[in-house]
Amino acid sequence: MNLLLRLVFVLIFSGIWINVSAQDKLFIAAASDLRFALEDVLRDFKAKYAQDLTGVSVQVIYGSSGKISNQIRQGAPFDVFFSADKHFTQELFRGNFTTDEGTVYARGRLVLWSPKHDLRGVSLKELTADKYLKIAIAQPLHAPYGERARQSLVSAGVWSQLEHKLVYGENIAQTAQLAQSGAADVAIIALSLVKNQRLTPGTAAHYQLLDASTHQPLLQSYALTKAGAEKPSARLLVQFMRTAKAQQTLANYGFELPEPTPKAAE
């Protein structure tokens, strides 16, 4: 047996081979409201830590926070989870799937948006008008933005009147696509999505910000999974999320940044 083959056998049976192979992949799961903002964050992250990330492939999947949380519970190999609601990272920590309850990195905002109607100044009560035939929201059962949209419609007193008009996206990005494709006239989606120029050209400004007092706050958080805590690349990403560069990118997409934690008195 030649030296190279012996080395391969030693690595395999010692477990080192598996560890090395796992270390060169960074698996991220993120709520769909981050689809565009996180792309920019990761671009800057890779540039800042280019040397540390040599040979590391970064893979991201987007979906609803509730479904991703269930996938982690079922053994999905994600290293970092960006949730649209801190409830999910807290619950995962209680189940011993993450290293802590999560760090709140932003507060999300909801908007009314349409590629064919200028909704500036339009209230939720006005959605009862006949010209709005279909209204898209994310599925409230597992999408935090969908649940907050439901709360806002209830708060406005129009939920029962609009229920027959509602169509549901599996996540907030799919909800935007329902309006973009014409399957819905209006969508209640994340401000972070309309801040991106890849929506239908010329319509990004045609939105109305919803009053945040009409729903529970969308306190978004990230957490390292138990597997991610073993990866230097995952720990670097969590560290990068605290930088001014990452926070400015989030602010550019309409996320409200959390207040800095007051320093303890000396």
Side-chain angles (χ1 to χ4, degrees), residues 99-118:
T99 59
D100 59 31
E101 291 190 337
T103 299
V104 173
Y105 63 89
R107 183 191 297 260
R109 294 299 304 273
L110 279 167
V111 299
L112 284 178
W113 175 78
S114 170
K116 62 181 183 179
H117 297 288
D118 188 339

Side-chain angles (χ1 to χ4, degrees), residues 97-146:
F97 294 97
T98 60
T99 59
D100 59 31
E101 291 190 337
T103 299
V104 173
Y105 63 89
R107 183 191 297 260
R109 294 299 304 273
L110 279 167
V111 299
L112 284 178
W113 175 78
S114 170
K116 62 181 183 179
H117 297 288
D118 188 339
L119 298 177
R120 286 174 287 190
V122 173
S123 70
L124 290 174
K125 289 181 181 295
E126 292 176 73
L127 295 181
T128 57
D130 292 340
K131 64 180 176 179
Y132 305 124
L133 297 175
K134 294 293 181 183
I135 301 163
I137 69 171
Q139 176 54 253
L141 292 175
H142 52 247
Y145 275 87

Side-chain angles (χ1 to χ4, degrees), residues 30-48:
S32 292
D33 67 303
L34 279 172
R35 181 173 293 276
F36 304 126
L38 190 58
E39 287 179 9
D40 288 359
V41 168
L42 290 176
R43 178 198 62 213
D44 295 333
F45 167 66
K46 292 174 186 177
K48 180 176 176 64

